[in-house]
Amino acid sequence: MRFALGIEYDGSQYCGWQRQNNVVSVQETLEKALSKIANEPINVICAGRTDTGVSATNQVVHFDTHNVRKEVAWTLGVNTHLPKDIAVTWVKAVDETFHARFGATSRRYRYIIYNNPLRPAIFSTGLTFNHYPLDEKLMHKAAQFLVGEHDFTSFRTVHCQAPSAVRTIEHCQVSRQGNYLCIDVKGNAFLHHMIRNIAGSLMRVGRGQEEVEWIAEVLAAKNRCLAGVTAPANGLYFVDVTYPEKYQLPSSPLGPIFFN
């Protein structure tokens, strides 16, 4: 049987999603918990691999198993074997055509910034802190240059191994709730550090260091050296992934916490 799982995790204590030697990853931790319930080795495939320190509110994975278990075993049962910063949020049996990664039609991330002269204490590991005043309206205006199909070479790390830098962004919105800014980006796929590099560049615009049109110039230049610095990993969340309606997967609030 094949199952799809909804997963959320606080990535601050993990070296990213992907299983690696000699470090703790979200994937390895989840697979160990699933294997205990299945009583056989379980390998999972995720919708979008996240980097060190990056969190998720709606990660989707799939796995295959030969053993029959009640759905509650894959949720409550697995959660008893997981640390408190990783949790299964839903499970659904799917047919063999479902693939968490290759079947996804879009992915969505949110980058959360605490914008205040003084640092926060509560939720401090789940956001990035910027003490300079940021104009979210200018940031939103600049972000619209990124919408559509573009070559995002200027916004990917030099170590990115993707054969093409062309991606399609459906929306890139910047909003504020009190001291919290949210950069909300949805697209078909993303390059290594792409969201964090976009966030770092938009913060330059919000701070008044660059004009709104600067984002368009950086995008057209296809030169990583011209964009802003890479924003910290804490504050970045994988919040949603879209699949064809025929799978009828459960939906959950995007988060994190107070963002609708």
Side-chain angles (χ1 to χ4, degrees):
M1 297 183 65
R2 176 164 294 185
F3 289 93
L5 287 182
I7 306 294
E8 67 177 27
Y9 52 86
D10 176 352
S12 60
Q13 301 301 312
Y14 297 92
C15 293
W17 165 267
Q18 191 169 7
R19 187 193 315 109
Q20 304 173 60
N21 294 328
N22 303 317
V23 297
V24 180
S25 68
V26 179
Q27 180 183 9
E28 181 182 13
T29 305
L30 176 61
E31 287 176 341
K32 286 181 177 179
L34 286 167
S35 298
K36 290 179 180 179
I37 297 299
N39 197 30
E40 65 177 349
I42 295 293
N43 297 313
V44 301
I45 295 176
C46 73
R49 290 177 293 185
T50 51
D51 293 333
T52 299
V54 178
S55 301
T57 60
N58 283 297
Q59 176 71 272
V60 174
V61 307
H62 84 255
F63 68 92
D64 297 326
T65 179
H66 295 97
N67 296 325
V68 177
R69 299 286 187 272
K70 293 181 180 180
E71 288 191 356
V72 68
W74 301 121
T75 53
L76 294 176
V78 172
N79 281 342
T80 62
H81 296 289
L82 287 170
K84 63 181 181 180
D85 50 10
I86 303 177
V88 175
T89 56
W90 55 261
V91 63
K92 181 177 174 58
V94 292
D95 62 46
E96 62 182 11
T97 65
F98 178 82
H99 195 284
R101 180 182 177 188
F102 297 126
T105 57
S106 68
R107 296 163 177 83
R108 188 170 177 177
Y109 286 84
R110 283 177 169 175
Y111 194 86
I112 310 301
I113 304 164
Y114 184 75
N115 186 213
N116 192 61
L118 301 176
R119 65 173 177 83
I122 305 300
F123 198 45
S124 59
T125 61
L127 49 79
T128 193
F129 169 55
N130 192 317
H131 66 276
Y132 294 104
L134 297 175
D135 188 325
E136 73 279 5
K137 294 180 180 178
L138 291 179
M139 293 170 67
H140 178 77
K141 189 175 181 180
Q144 303 320 297
F145 289 111
L146 304 174
V147 176
E149 183 180 84
H150 303 287
D151 184 320
F152 284 92
T153 296
S154 295
F155 297 99
R156 70 167 171 174
T157 175
V158 294
H159 303 296
C160 180
Q161 298 179 353
S164 172
V166 176
R167 296 292 186 270
T168 300
I169 298 299
E170 295 183 33
H171 75 237
C172 188
Q173 302 169 347
V174 183
S175 60
R176 176 187 287 271
Q177 292 188 29
N179 291 326
Y180 299 90
L181 269 67
C182 176
I183 302 174
D184 188 319
V185 189
K186 182 178 181 180
N188 63 339
F190 294 92
L191 302 163
H192 193 204
H193 286 179
M194 180 173 163
I195 302 296
R196 292 167 59 189
N197 290 334
I198 287 174
S201 298
L202 290 178
M203 280 190 276
R204 289 187 62 83
V205 174
R207 187 180 166 187
Q209 293 176 296
E210 306 289 351
E211 298 295 326
V212 167
E213 294 75 16
W214 173 74
I215 292 291
E217 296 170 1
V218 171
L219 179 66
K222 302 176 186 178
N223 185 341
R224 173 67 189 95
C225 296
L226 300 181
V229 298
T230 303
N234 51 311
L236 181 58
Y237 294 81
F238 184 99
V239 298
D240 197 24
V241 54
T242 306
Y243 295 97
E245 292 185 6
K246 66 178 181 178
Y247 295 115
Q248 298 184 331
L249 298 184
S251 59
S252 303
L254 301 181
I257 303 178
F258 44 79
F259 285 96
N260 297 322

